[in-house]
Amino acid sequence: MNRTQANGSRARAGEEKNGAAGRIKVEDAVRVILRHIGEDPDREGLERTPMRVAKAYEFLTSGYAKDPKEAINGALFS
């Protein structure tokens, strides 16, 4: 369930504090971008887009939190 906060951002019931605040900020930024290009972020077909974009960025940047040696796992070739 979503709830709109006083600052206009949306919080989800039961979300953890770690990472949730950052995800909500990304979702809000995506809504701003959608409005800026003339779209309605609440219309059917776009209503879940901010969440999908936030999850995509979390996945794409997840390696930054990992140990490089663990990520490479000896896969260096000469």
Side-chain angles (χ1 to χ4, degrees):
M1 172 172 189
N2 295 336
R3 64 180 186 273
T4 302
Q5 298 175 335
N7 66 1
S9 67
R10 294 184 181 184
R12 286 174 186 74
E15 269 192 323
E16 299 175 6
K17 289 196 177 218
N18 294 340
R23 184 178 315 118
I24 290 170
K25 286 181 181 182
V26 171
E27 290 179 18
D28 288 342
V30 172
R31 284 187 192 88
V32 168
I33 292 168
L34 289 170
R35 284 187 196 102
H36 183 74
I37 64 171
E39 288 288 351
D40 176 8
D42 296 320
R43 77 167 169 83
E44 186 178 2
L46 281 182
E47 49 192 13
R48 291 188 352 199
T49 295
M51 181 248 336
R52 289 191 297 257
V53 171
K55 283 186 173 183
Y57 274 114
E58 285 176 5
F59 174 76
L60 292 170
T61 61
S62 64
Y64 294 132
K66 294 181 181 176
D67 177 25
K69 288 182 181 181
E70 184 179 319
I72 293 171
N73 194 23
L76 295 177
F77 303 98
S78 54

